[in-house]
Structure formats: C-alpha cells, structure tokens
Amino acid sequence: MFATYLIGLREGLEATLVVSILVAFLVKSQRKDRLIQVWTGVALAVALSVLFGWLLTYTSTSLLADYQDRELFEAITSLAAVVFVTWMIFWMRKAARSIAGELRTKLTDALAVGSIAVAVMAFLAVVREGLETALIFYSAVQGVRTDGGPLYALIGGVATAVVIGILLYSTAVRINLGKFFTWTGALLILVAAGILKYAVHDFQEAGVLPGLNTLAFDISGTLDPGSWYGSLLAGMFNITPAPTVLETIAWVAYGVPVLAIFLKPAKPKPKPAPTETPTSASAPQA
C-alpha cells in the first residue's frame, strides 16, 4: 500500500503542477473563459487513464485464459512500467526548471488556434501522467492478494497530491519541490527494481527464462514473510526471503547503478569567461 501511495503521490503531484500552471497562466492572462476547455481536457485524460487501467486488468483476468499467457502479459507490462518509471524520473529532474515556460508557450499557441486546441493541449499534458500511473500501479500490485487496499492507497496518494497542488497554487504553503522529487524519485527507483524482479519471475513462470527453482538464497528463518516488516519490504521493494538467482541479479543490476546515477550531483555549468574590454586592458608602457 505504501508503494502505491507513493506512486499516486508522485504522479499525481506532477499532473497537479501541470494543471495549476495552465490555470494560473489563464487567470493572469485574463482568459478565464478558456478554463472550461482546460478542465474538459483534464477530465478526458483522467477518464482515459482509468479506462486503460481497467483494460490492463480485464486483459489479464478475462481475455487470457492460459496461465503462461497471463504470466507473460504481466511480465511485459512490468518491463514497460520499469522503462516509464526510469524515463519519468530522469526527465522530471532535467525538465523541472523549464516545464513552466514550455507549458505557457504551448498554451499561448493553443489559445491562438482555438478552444479545441486548448482542450487537446491540457489533455496531452495530463494523459501521460495518467497512463503512466495506471501502468505502474498495475505492475506494482501484481501478486498482491488483498482487498482494495492498494487501490485506496493510490487514490489517497493522488488526493494528497491534489491538496498539495491547491495549497501551492493558493500560496498557502511552500515546499522544496527539488528535494521532494529527489527523495520520491529515489524511492521509486527501488520500487521499479522490485517491479523488474517480478517481471523476471513472471518470465520464469511463463517458461521464457530458466532457473525458476534455482534460489539465490533462502532467509525465510530470518525474514518472516508474514511479519509486518516482511510484508512492507515485499510490498514496496519486492524483497522476498527466497528469490531466484535471476531475480536477484535483475534487482541489483538495475537498482544499484540507476540509484547511483540518479543521486549523483549534477555538474555545475561552467561560467563563461569574462571578456576583456579596452578600458580594462592594461595600457602599454612608454
């Protein structure tokens, strides 16, 4: 549940910031009449994201009758989720400073075209986050045999993100978004490592990869899977007491280098050398 809450919070806040930038720009530009198009685009993006999530579940539970086909489908969607998580985390770190200006430029162009263009622009700005959320959530809860807890946690994360976005928009609160996205990004990398580990397990279940019964280690006596901490590690990072060799290799090979690259401080841009002016140049001696 904590992992899905984190997914909802992170993706929801990104989408909320995008919407707040668009709304603030229209309000300051005295174009409140176009707000209805923005909210229409947002609503369509949310509806499509929910439909996509339902389609993933329906495909796995109803369209694929064979066990190996279901395992293969879940493995492929898990791999896609890992790719999206990795791309999203690094893209957000790079584009965080320029995203507001880019959105304002695109919205200005859309306003010049017409109301439909405004709705399409808002739709495209939000639907990416929604589709990513649906795919990552579906992959993160594979193998979880509980009630609706993960779904409620995801909704709670999105709701928290909306509240934070409203407070930021109304200037009622200030948070360091750089640190927020850094810490949540680091946690999501570990979540993605767990999703990749589960994808490898599904490939082994489907017979695509060997070594289903070749365990890397077995610490069931130390890490009780039924304990609260065992459930927390398994549910959030897919750390289990008896993983296979390939699962362990996949987790470490992805999690360690990607986390190191993500947390590596960015190199400061070199300052341009000051140009020498005639007045500052030393005068020639007689």
Side-chain angles (χ1 to χ4, degrees), residues 42-57:
V42 171
L44 290 176
V46 172
L48 181 61
S49 302
V50 174
L51 178 62
F52 179 63
W54 171 84
L55 182 61
L56 289 174
T57 304

Side-chain angles (χ1 to χ4, degrees), residues 188-209:
L188 277 181
I189 288 174
L190 298 179
V191 172
I195 295 175
L196 179 61
K197 175 176 174 287
Y198 193 85
V200 171
H201 179 80
D202 279 341
F203 278 126
Q204 291 177 319
E205 290 277 0
V208 177
L209 293 177

Side-chain angles (χ1 to χ4, degrees), residues 9-86:
L9 177 62
R10 168 78 186 218
E11 295 284 343
L13 187 57
E14 288 187 18
T16 302
L17 290 175
V18 167
V19 174
S20 64
I21 290 171
L22 298 179
V23 171
F25 179 77
L26 289 177
V27 171
K28 292 181 180 179
S29 303
Q30 303 297 322
R31 300 300 302 269
K32 292 183 179 181
D33 57 309
R34 297 299 189 186
L35 287 176
I36 184 63
Q37 283 82 29
V38 170
W39 292 117
T40 300
V42 171
L44 290 176
V46 172
L48 181 61
S49 302
V50 174
L51 178 62
F52 179 63
W54 171 84
L55 182 61
L56 289 174
T57 304
Y58 179 76
T59 301
S60 177
T61 57
S62 301
L63 296 183
L64 301 176
D66 185 71
Y67 173 76
Q68 288 189 334
D69 290 341
R70 290 198 303 270
E71 294 296 323
L72 186 59
F73 175 77
E74 292 174 0
I76 294 174
T77 54
S78 295
L79 280 181
V82 172
V83 172
F84 276 116
V85 168
T86 308

Side-chain angles (χ1 to χ4, degrees), residues 49-283:
S49 302
V50 174
L51 178 62
F52 179 63
W54 171 84
L55 182 61
L56 289 174
T57 304
Y58 179 76
T59 301
S60 177
T61 57
S62 301
L63 296 183
L64 301 176
D66 185 71
Y67 173 76
Q68 288 189 334
D69 290 341
R70 290 198 303 270
E71 294 296 323
L72 186 59
F73 175 77
E74 292 174 0
I76 294 174
T77 54
S78 295
L79 280 181
V82 172
V83 172
F84 276 116
V85 168
T86 308
W87 175 81
M88 174 264 296
I89 290 172
F90 283 95
W91 175 85
M92 189 62 186
R93 187 179 68 169
K94 181 179 179 181
R97 296 181 179 180
S98 60
I99 187 173
E102 292 177 1
L103 286 173
R104 295 188 188 102
T105 300
K106 292 180 180 179
L107 186 56
T108 300
D109 296 338
L111 287 170
V113 175
S115 58
I116 296 180
V118 174
V120 171
M121 190 265 172
F123 171 81
L124 294 176
V126 176
V127 74
R128 179 179 63 85
E129 305 294 344
L131 295 179
E132 284 180 2
T133 303
L135 180 61
I136 298 169
F137 170 73
Y138 172 81
S139 301
V141 299
Q142 294 305 314
V144 178
R145 297 294 181 259
T146 62
D147 50 12
L151 179 59
Y152 300 146
L154 178 74
I155 296 174
V158 173
T160 304
V162 171
V163 172
I164 293 176
I166 293 174
L167 293 176
L168 288 173
Y169 178 79
S170 61
T171 67
V173 68
R174 285 287 183 269
I175 65 174
N176 190 323
L177 292 177
K179 290 185 177 180
F180 172 85
F181 284 121
T182 297
W183 284 105
T184 56
L187 289 174
L188 277 181
I189 288 174
L190 298 179
V191 172
I195 295 175
L196 179 61
K197 175 176 174 287
Y198 193 85
V200 171
H201 179 80
D202 279 341
F203 278 126
Q204 291 177 319
E205 290 277 0
V208 177
L209 293 177
L212 179 60
N213 298 317
T214 306
L215 301 181
F217 52 84
D218 189 349
I219 55 173
S220 302
T222 304
L223 181 60
D224 182 8
S227 62
W228 67 268
Y229 54 87
S231 300
L232 179 64
L233 291 175
M236 186 167 183
F237 306 128
N238 200 12
I239 297 177
T240 54
T244 66
V245 173
L246 287 182
E247 289 177 39
T248 305
I249 292 175
W251 200 102
V252 175
Y254 172 86
V256 174
V258 174
L259 188 62
I261 294 172
F262 179 75
L263 295 178
K264 182 179 179 181
K267 293 182 179 180
K269 295 182 178 180
K271 296 182 179 180
T275 57
E276 191 178 63
T277 59
T279 57
S280 63
S282 58

